């Protein structure tokens, strides 16, 4: 089973979320506006992407 890490930078000008594999390779990246109400849906989308990656690699 592969391991994935989700990192988020929620700031006043941008919100960035990235998913990296166990080797540090970025497998998904999203950048949007400020960290407000969009942050939770964006995180949910990234978590679903990680779930899809896990299904395809196991």
């Amino acid at each position: 089973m592969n391991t994935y890490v989700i990192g988020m930078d929620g700031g006043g000008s941008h919100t960035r979320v990235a998913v990296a594999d166990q080797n540090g390779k970025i497998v998904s990246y999203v950048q949007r506006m400020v960290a407000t109400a969009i942050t939770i849906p964006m995180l949910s989308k990234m978590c679903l992407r990680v779930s899809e990656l896990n299904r395809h690699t196991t």
Side-chain angles (χ1 to χ4, degrees), residues 22-52:
Q22 58 198 17
N23 298 314
K25 179 182 175 188
I26 303 294
V27 295
S28 189
Y29 177 83
V30 176
Q31 179 174 316
R32 297 287 188 264
M33 300 180 311
V34 298
T36 58
I38 62 144
T39 304
I40 298 303
M42 187 168 56
L43 278 174
S44 296
K45 182 178 178 181
M46 297 299 284
C47 290
L48 286 173
R49 176 73 177 128
V50 169
S51 177
E52 291 170 6

Side-chain angles (χ1 to χ4, degrees), residues 3-4 8 12 14-16 18-19 21 27 50-52 55-56:
T3 300
Y4 294 94
M8 185 180 102
H14 292 92
T15 298
R16 299 172 185 97
V19 177
D21 66 14
V27 295
V50 169
S51 177
E52 291 170 6
R55 275 194 299 249
H56 294 298

